[in-house]
Amino acid sequence: MNNFTNYKPNNMKNIFLKINWVVYFFLTLLAFIGGLILYSVSQGSFYPLVSSHLFKYFISSMALFITCFISINFIYKTSYIIYFFSILLLISVLILGNDVFGSNRWLSIAGFTFQPSELSKLAIILAISRYYHDYYFISNNNILKVTFPIIILFIPFAFVINQPDLGTGLLILISGLTVIFLSGIGIWYIFFSIIFATSLAPLLWNLLYDYQKKRILTFLNPDQDPLGSGYHIAQSKIAIGSGGFFGKGYIKGSQSHLEFIPEMHTDFVFSIFSEEFGFLGSLILVLIYSYVLCYGIVSSYRANNTFTKLTIAGLTTNIFLYFIVNISMVIGLIPVVGVPLPLVSYGGSAMLVTMISFGIIMNLSNFKGQLN
Amino acid sequence: MLKPKKQHSIIFNRRLFLLSSLKLITFSVVINRLYNLQIRQSEKYKKLADNNRVNLSLIVPSRGLIFDRDKNLLADNEEQYQLIFKIYNIRNKLQAIEKVFNYVELQEIKKEELRKQIRENKKRVLVKQNMSWSEVAKVSSNITELEGVYIEMILVRKYISIATSHVLGYVGKPDINTNQKLFKVDDARVGKLAIEAAYDNGLQGKFGYKREEVNAHGRVVNSISKVNGIPGNDINLSISKKLQDFSFNRLGENAGSIVVLNINTGEILTLVSKPSFDSNDFIGEMHPDKWKEIINNNLNPLFNRATKGTYPPGSIFKLIVVLAAYSLKDFNSNKRYFCNGSFKFGNQIFHCWNDKGHGFVNCKQALAVSCDCYFYDLSLKVGIDNINETAKKFGLGEMYLNDIFNSSKGLIPSKVWKKEQFGKSWTKTDTIVTSIGQGFSLSSPLQLAVMISRIAADGKKVVPTIIKQDLNMKKDNDIKDLNKEGISLIKEGMYDAVNSSIGTAYFSRVYNPEKLMCGKTATSQVRRISMKEREDGIIKNEDLPRNQRDHALFAGYYPHKKPKYGFCIVVEHGGSGSKSAAPIAKDLCEILNLIDV
């Protein structure tokens, strides 16, 4: 029992000290902003989007607190188990999943739908971090140091790509590779990997689905089909641009309320926010994200062992990727990929994973002991 | 040498710093992009958002109505429903239109054309005009599953009577070359022919416009502002619908024309040309079979015979010769001339229509029996210059209502004209032929109606108009240098031609002694009769192919005392004027007696 936690379970005061309340405040603020936009999108209706969103935030907060409470050793030890569990979930999606718009991403459990690929992101980071923690003594240029994590990474990646969900797949890949990069592998591996990946690009292009190819082509040449695939991005840019400095005012965005923006409550939630609150609002939102991400980076820097360092950095990167990919997508910097804006977008899986990630970060950043 | 763990930490921190810098750069890229969109290009995007949001559309005003002189409708506006397909955010446009096809009846060619338009990304496609009630009901009850479908009510021109098609013309879609502004307006129509075209500006009215807030699917969410248009001005034509319809039907299967004028006002009461088309066919998309029918009809239904058709005036022209003769000092209308059936000039022989000859005839009698030889003889005394001048005074060779009907000028030959046209001098033979309205002379039914009206009005300069007039013509517009004796003589001649037993139209006289018809028949030849045929016996009209038969003409006025109506009837290739045209004139006068327009 002594190994389970370094703190006594009855010492609740310590547990609450572990929580960074400033960060938690900002996370709550983001969820609240999400609620505001959903209220606007619903034409001033609290039900069902806003209520559901806030309820999901409440559940996710609970998850954050519970994660803070769990012993680091327990997390460390169950890393691989979580990883296998996530693979199991991905397999069950393949067999039992709900088919939505031709892709198979969701799993229904007791009336809740959940996206197992979101859990995979967490699991991969934990598993790779544990591997490097256990084998930090192996030379950086040892081939073993690369092979195993790559295998860990590619199994869920293959499943997610197969769903098909290119966006999440790439996010998983990048956050996993970030952890491998931070682990300190030899610079030559990185160099050759890049060359290898580039040479594989034409082959990968052929493996893409038609709609994915179309999205990428549309992104490269958006004027080619202004009423087709490029339409959403064009309308999103119009929404954001027309917001100006102060925005059009709350619930006054014409682009959103006249249904020019697709997926208003999920992927394109930032367009609505930006249209109604302008550059000022967007800047504040970006700064809030910057703050919580900086917290992650600093925590990672301060951590005293490989597992905590890598886990925190990996999770932070994961959240960063969510954020940056979503915003870049709606402002037309990258092609459309279905990635939500964490905490703001409507949708439970991403929110839950984000909050659990912050729970782990808060938990780990207070850890000063030794893992065994 | 550091411990591996310590060394690890250094590498990690270095790489973390690198990664964080990368994140910082991406953040700055995003912020820079937001700055560009929301501050630098904000105005551009605001305009784009407004363009998305606000839909400015023109309101087509209701077109002015066209009435006859008794306020009977000739051209109405009818409510029609049309099916519009708008491409906004429809995922599969072609699939959506196929669904629509299940609810409306369309020809396969039309369907293919619609598919093409949709493939070309035309924003607004007119699927079906003039929907039937069952189609409207079917589409409206299934509107929720039909994407992009709208039913619009529009006002469509409706022409009441086929008899007025040549007078009214028709409306159609604006042409891109002549009407660039209106071309862009859906549902805008412009007059294409006759009254509809000539009075288009007034009939059109003023366009209104509305600004509406629309959503991404093209549905109207809010009305922002609306300026109503001004309906077009109504027009009251001088045409009498009753008389027009009667005349139209009276011509029957014949090709020809009837023109009736009010002598006092110059108003055209009837302007019929047959065969005709139906103006209603031209408004929307014409059925290909109908168009073929019109094009393949070699009588050319699109040709307005009343104003553009020109015919040799035949014996009607003799009236002009008599009037011209009165300018001669020594003209004696009572002097008798002996007609033996032919007239010798040099070595040429000119025949009278009656081979046996008319015996002794004076001027009045010559008109009544329409003796050709009398006029051959008279014309040589009068001379072509004189005849030409008089013909022009009475309105022949002049274009009337050209701006409306693109009328024909006809032809009154003169010495100068022949020289210019053929490079040859005028000969006396030409004068002889001209005297009976053959040869070069050509007149339209409208011109002949004007001529006869001027005679009936005792030399008043009747000018035709097709718009209803409230006042009679000005009093002091008499034709100058006119011998009134001549007028009264030819009026007597015309009286006899119909009402005396020797007259050519005696069998078509009107029996009411208070109101008698006067007029002049004409049978105008369209072929030359050869010497051989004359010897063998002239072939009867009935035995000739249609296009070689004579034209039957009748020009007259009614009633004989204080005449009110002047008219001209032309039955194309109808045989003789007394047999084909005069009976129509009789019926016309009897109707005029009844309805008194």
Side-chain angles (χ1 to χ4, degrees):
Chain A
M1 276 311 281
N2 227 13
N3 291 340
F4 249 104
T5 172
N6 292 22
Y7 303 92
K8 282 176 184 135
N10 59 355
N11 195 344
M12 290 301 283
K13 199 184 158 195
N14 280 336
I15 291 164
F16 280 102
L17 277 175
K18 278 165 83 178
I19 296 167
N20 186 327
W21 290 104
V22 179
V23 171
Y24 183 74
F25 166 75
F26 280 123
L27 296 178
T28 310
L29 189 61
L30 287 173
F32 178 69
I33 289 171
L36 271 182
I37 301 169
L38 291 176
Y39 187 75
S40 168
V41 167
S42 325
Q43 318 280 359
S45 162
F46 191 70
Y47 298 97
L49 292 185
V50 185
S51 56
S52 169
H53 181 76
L54 294 181
F55 176 70
K56 281 169 184 165
Y57 182 69
F58 174 75
I59 298 286
S60 305
S61 291
M62 289 300 126
L64 182 142
F65 296 142
I66 291 166
T67 324
C68 275
F69 174 76
I70 295 169
S71 141
I72 310 275
N73 262 322
F74 180 75
I75 297 171
Y76 167 75
K77 283 188 172 169
T78 51
S79 293
Y80 289 144
I81 298 168
I82 294 171
Y83 177 75
F84 284 118
F85 179 64
S86 79
I87 300 285
L88 217 63
L89 283 177
L90 285 174
I91 292 169
S92 43
V93 167
L94 198 64
I95 301 163
L96 307 164
N98 298 347
D99 198 316
V100 181
F101 297 132
S103 70
N104 204 351
R105 305 174 184 178
W106 281 269
L107 205 59
S108 290
I109 304 162
F112 291 97
T113 52
F114 184 75
Q115 228 176 320
S117 54
E118 296 290 342
L119 180 70
S120 314
K121 293 178 189 168
L122 247 166
I124 290 164
I125 291 162
L126 287 171
I128 298 175
S129 301
R130 173 164 177 187
Y131 179 81
Y132 283 120
H133 182 83
D134 293 351
Y135 298 104
Y136 69 87
F137 48 83
I138 298 174
S139 157
N140 280 341
N141 291 321
N142 190 317
I143 190 82
L144 265 181
K145 202 164 182 178
V146 187
T147 321
F148 193 65
I150 291 283
I151 292 168
I152 291 178
L153 181 53
F154 268 84
I155 294 169
F157 173 69
F159 275 112
V160 174
I161 287 285
N162 188 47
Q163 281 177 352
D165 189 351
L166 186 68
T168 312
L170 286 174
L171 254 57
I172 288 175
L173 190 70
I174 296 168
S175 53
L177 289 174
T178 308
V179 178
I180 296 171
F181 168 74
L182 289 172
S183 75
I185 56 155
I187 203 85
W188 288 107
Y189 287 114
I190 299 166
F191 183 70
F192 283 119
S193 306
I194 292 170
I195 290 178
F196 182 65
T198 320
S199 62
L200 271 185
L203 186 72
L204 289 173
W205 174 255
N206 284 327
L207 288 175
L208 289 178
Y209 287 84
D210 276 347
Y211 84 94
Q212 293 167 335
K213 285 184 188 173
K214 201 175 173 193
R215 276 184 186 172
I216 293 168
L217 287 176
T218 306
F219 170 73
L220 294 174
N221 190 5
D223 302 327
Q224 179 192 304
D225 186 13
L227 280 172
S229 316
Y231 179 78
H232 295 159
I233 281 303
Q235 293 299 341
S236 172
K237 278 164 76 180
I238 292 173
I240 295 167
S242 64
F245 188 78
F246 290 110
K248 291 180 186 166
Y250 186 48
I251 321 195
K252 281 178 185 161
S254 65
Q255 284 289 98
S256 49
H257 291 284
L258 297 173
E259 297 164 46
F260 285 95
I261 307 289
E263 315 281 340
M264 286 185 286
H265 56 292
T266 55
D267 294 355
F268 283 85
V269 81
F270 182 77
S271 312
I272 323 297
F273 176 80
S274 229
E275 184 183 18
E276 296 187 350
F277 296 99
F279 182 68
L280 196 64
S282 308
L283 205 61
I284 290 169
L285 194 78
V286 171
L287 286 176
I288 294 171
Y289 275 105
S290 308
Y291 179 83
V292 296
L293 291 171
C294 277
Y295 166 74
I297 291 165
V298 170
S299 301
S300 166
Y301 176 75
R302 283 186 184 158
N304 72 339
N305 68 59
T306 312
F307 178 71
T308 46
K309 267 182 185 296
L310 288 181
T311 304
I312 295 173
L315 295 175
T316 310
T317 304
N318 186 31
I319 292 159
F320 162 80
L321 284 172
Y322 266 123
F323 167 77
I324 207 76
V325 168
N326 178 277
I327 295 214
S328 305
M329 170 180 96
V330 300
I331 59 181
L333 285 173
I334 61 165
V336 176
V337 281
V339 174
L341 190 61
L343 299 175
V344 181
S345 285
Y346 181 78
S349 306
M351 182 187 269
L352 189 64
V353 168
T354 308
M355 291 301 271
I356 289 174
S357 300
F358 273 103
I360 295 170
I361 292 168
M362 287 175 190
N363 194 346
L364 296 187
S365 59
N366 286 296
F367 182 73
K368 297 285 181 273
Q370 287 288 319
L371 289 167
N372 50 24
Chain B
M1 185 75 188
L2 286 160
K3 280 182 187 171
K5 198 179 172 184
K6 191 74 188 162
Q7 190 200 4
H8 233 113
S9 191
I10 290 168
I11 294 175
F12 175 87
N13 287 344
R14 199 192 293 151
R15 292 199 176 171
L16 184 68
F17 178 73
L18 200 70
L19 196 69
S20 305
S21 315
L22 210 66
K23 288 178 184 175
L24 193 68
I25 291 167
T26 51
F27 263 88
S28 2
V29 170
V30 164
I31 290 174
N32 177 52
R33 178 71 162 202
L34 284 170
Y35 173 79
N36 269 333
L37 288 176
Q38 299 195 288
I39 293 173
R40 287 185 53 191
Q41 293 176 295
S42 173
E43 286 311 309
K44 170 186 148 191
Y45 284 110
K46 272 178 187 160
K47 223 172 258 171
L48 283 172
D50 270 348
N51 282 351
N52 267 345
R53 186 176 76 91
V54 180
N55 186 17
L56 180 76
S57 55
L58 285 173
I59 305 171
V60 179
S62 72
R63 198 171 170 84
L65 303 176
I66 303 175
F67 294 97
D68 86 336
R69 60 185 301 107
D70 305 315
K71 273 281 173 190
N72 294 314
L73 263 177
L74 297 177
D76 194 4
N77 295 320
E78 190 186 50
E79 285 182 4
Q80 263 185 20
Y81 292 88
Q82 58 182 21
L83 193 69
I84 303 292
F85 185 72
K86 287 186 192 168
I87 305 168
Y88 275 88
N89 272 338
I90 300 171
R91 264 168 211 265
N92 192 334
K93 295 173 263 177
L94 286 171
Q95 206 180 310
I97 191 77
E98 291 303 327
K99 244 186 203 172
V100 179
F101 288 161
N102 294 334
Y103 295 96
V104 286
E105 258 178 59
L106 288 170
Q107 285 193 307
E108 199 48 51
I109 313 165
K110 174 77 183 162
K111 284 185 189 173
E112 203 40 61
E113 194 200 313
L114 290 170
R115 287 187 197 111
K116 197 181 140 215
Q117 288 182 3
I118 286 160
R119 265 184 235 117
E120 286 165 357
N121 265 327
K122 215 178 149 206
K123 275 199 171 173
R124 181 183 183 276
V125 177
L126 175 60
V127 179
K128 171 102 191 198
Q129 291 178 325
N130 197 7
M131 293 169 80
S132 68
W133 266 114
S134 70
E135 281 173 329
V136 173
K138 262 195 244 169
V139 173
S140 336
S141 56
N142 292 293
I143 199 96
T144 43
E145 59 182 275
L146 294 170
E147 277 184 294
V149 165
Y150 300 80
I151 296 176
E152 284 180 0
M153 197 275 285
I154 54 162
L155 289 173
V156 175
R157 204 49 149 182
K158 170 84 186 165
Y159 298 100
I160 308 297
S161 166
I162 188 179
T164 50
S165 291
H166 275 298
V167 176
L168 300 182
Y170 50 84
V171 292
K173 279 188 183 164
D175 192 55
I176 189 162
N177 298 319
T178 54
N179 215 329
Q180 285 178 337
K181 256 191 204 166
L182 283 181
F183 178 75
K184 291 175 190 158
V185 184
D186 301 309
D187 304 327
R189 292 287 182 275
V190 292
K192 293 279 193 181
L193 191 74
I195 290 285
E196 291 275 26
Y199 290 89
D200 194 49
N201 278 344
L203 287 166
Q204 191 72 257
K206 218 178 153 190
F207 279 76
Y209 61 90
K210 56 186 173 185
R211 285 157 64 86
E212 289 168 325
E213 192 169 45
V214 291
N215 70 9
H217 312 293
R219 302 238 178 248
V220 173
V221 180
N222 258 324
S223 178
I224 300 169
S225 65
K226 187 177 173 185
V227 174
N228 277 324
I230 300 166
N233 298 325
D234 295 347
I235 290 183
N236 294 312
L237 294 185
S238 63
I239 296 288
S240 156
K241 182 172 179 291
K242 276 183 203 161
L243 196 64
Q244 179 87 8
D245 285 347
F246 171 80
S247 310
F248 187 81
N249 294 328
R250 183 62 186 80
L251 269 175
E253 292 302 307
N254 292 309
S257 170
I258 297 180
V259 180
V260 181
L261 255 59
N262 181 323
I263 288 167
N264 301 322
T265 58
E267 289 171 311
I268 296 173
L269 304 174
T270 292
L271 191 85
V272 166
S273 171
K274 253 200 149 170
S276 183
F277 54 92
D278 187 348
S279 297
N280 292 309
D281 293 342
F282 286 78
I283 296 168
E285 284 157 337
M286 187 182 264
H287 196 282
D289 291 350
K290 271 188 180 156
W291 180 241
K292 254 184 220 163
E293 197 186 306
I294 291 170
I295 285 298
N296 291 339
N297 188 342
N298 48 22
L299 294 180
N300 193 0
L302 294 175
F303 185 66
N304 187 348
R305 288 170 165 75
T307 58
K308 279 187 226 165
T310 52
Y311 306 88
S315 304
I316 297 167
F317 199 74
K318 289 170 185 168
L319 303 170
I320 296 295
V321 179
V322 175
L323 287 168
Y326 269 89
S327 61
L328 300 175
K329 278 172 190 161
D330 59 346
F331 178 68
N332 179 357
S333 63
N334 290 323
K335 191 178 172 191
R336 300 207 297 175
Y337 170 86
F338 185 78
C339 164
N340 62 3
S342 62
F343 178 79
K344 264 192 188 173
F345 180 71
N347 53 1
Q348 281 173 293
I349 297 170
F350 296 89
H351 292 271
C352 189
W353 68 268
N354 188 344
D355 288 346
K356 293 162 192 127
H358 290 102
F360 280 105
V361 284
N362 64 15
C363 183
K364 202 170 93 179
Q365 286 162 335
L367 281 172
V369 299
S370 201
C371 173
D372 293 337
C373 295
Y374 179 89
F375 291 95
Y376 296 148
D377 179 62
L378 182 62
S379 67
L380 291 176
K381 293 174 190 152
V382 179
I384 186 64
D385 295 336
N386 216 335
I387 293 171
N388 180 286
E389 198 182 309
T390 312
K392 282 183 177 161
K393 275 183 194 167
F394 282 85
L396 300 183
E398 196 170 319
M399 278 192 283
Y400 294 109
L401 306 177
N402 185 39
D403 48 342
I404 300 173
F405 296 113
N406 195 10
S407 307
S408 166
K409 200 171 181 231
L411 180 63
I412 300 303
S414 66
K415 287 176 179 169
V416 178
W417 171 83
K418 196 186 174 194
K419 192 89 192 167
E420 278 174 4
Q421 198 69 19
F422 298 108
K424 286 180 184 162
S425 302
W426 188 266
T427 63
K428 292 207 166 171
T429 314
D430 292 332
T431 311
I432 291 167
V433 175
T434 305
S435 72
I436 58 160
Q438 296 287 154
F440 303 116
S441 314
L442 289 171
S443 300
S444 71
L446 178 62
Q447 287 173 331
L448 291 174
V450 170
M451 181 198 103
I452 214 78
S453 300
R454 288 185 180 183
I455 292 168
D458 292 327
K460 232 177 252 156
K461 200 171 181 180
V462 178
V463 178
T465 168
I466 196 138
I467 302 299
K468 192 179 179 183
Q469 307 291 316
D470 296 327
L471 297 168
N472 284 358
M473 282 181 303
K474 283 179 274 174
K475 291 256 160 83
D476 56 343
N477 63 346
D478 288 0
I479 298 168
K480 281 164 196 154
D481 305 325
L482 197 68
N483 192 324
K484 296 273 173 166
E485 268 176 62
I487 297 270
S488 51
L489 180 99
I490 59 169
K491 279 173 97 172
E492 280 168 37
M494 283 158 82
Y495 178 91
D496 283 353
V498 181
N499 300 304
S500 127
S501 58
I502 56 161
T504 48
Y506 180 65
F507 292 105
S508 301
R509 67 195 180 280
V510 175
Y511 296 104
N512 183 350
E514 291 301 312
K515 290 178 169 183
L516 293 170
M517 175 175 85
C518 302
K520 179 81 198 75
T521 58
T523 306
S524 73
Q525 250 170 251
V526 290
R527 67 190 183 111
R528 182 172 282 272
I529 298 170
S530 65
M531 288 301 285
K532 191 176 175 298
E533 193 187 325
R534 238 171 239 288
E535 280 161 20
D536 296 350
I538 297 166
I539 304 166
K540 283 183 179 169
N541 266 312
E542 294 83 32
D543 303 332
L544 286 166
R546 183 184 178 278
N547 61 357
Q548 288 187 21
R549 291 181 202 163
D550 299 335
H551 294 312
L553 281 76
F554 187 90
Y557 59 90
Y558 177 84
H560 68 299
K561 292 177 204 161
K562 285 192 181 171
K564 191 173 172 191
Y565 311 104
F567 50 85
C568 172
I569 292 149
V570 175
V571 182
E572 223 171 69
H573 304 293
S576 84
S578 48
K579 277 182 193 152
S580 295
I584 297 176
K586 179 198 173 190
D587 293 350
L588 195 67
C589 291
E590 278 170 357
I591 288 292
L592 284 168
N593 187 30
L594 287 175
I595 60 175
D596 188 39
V597 285

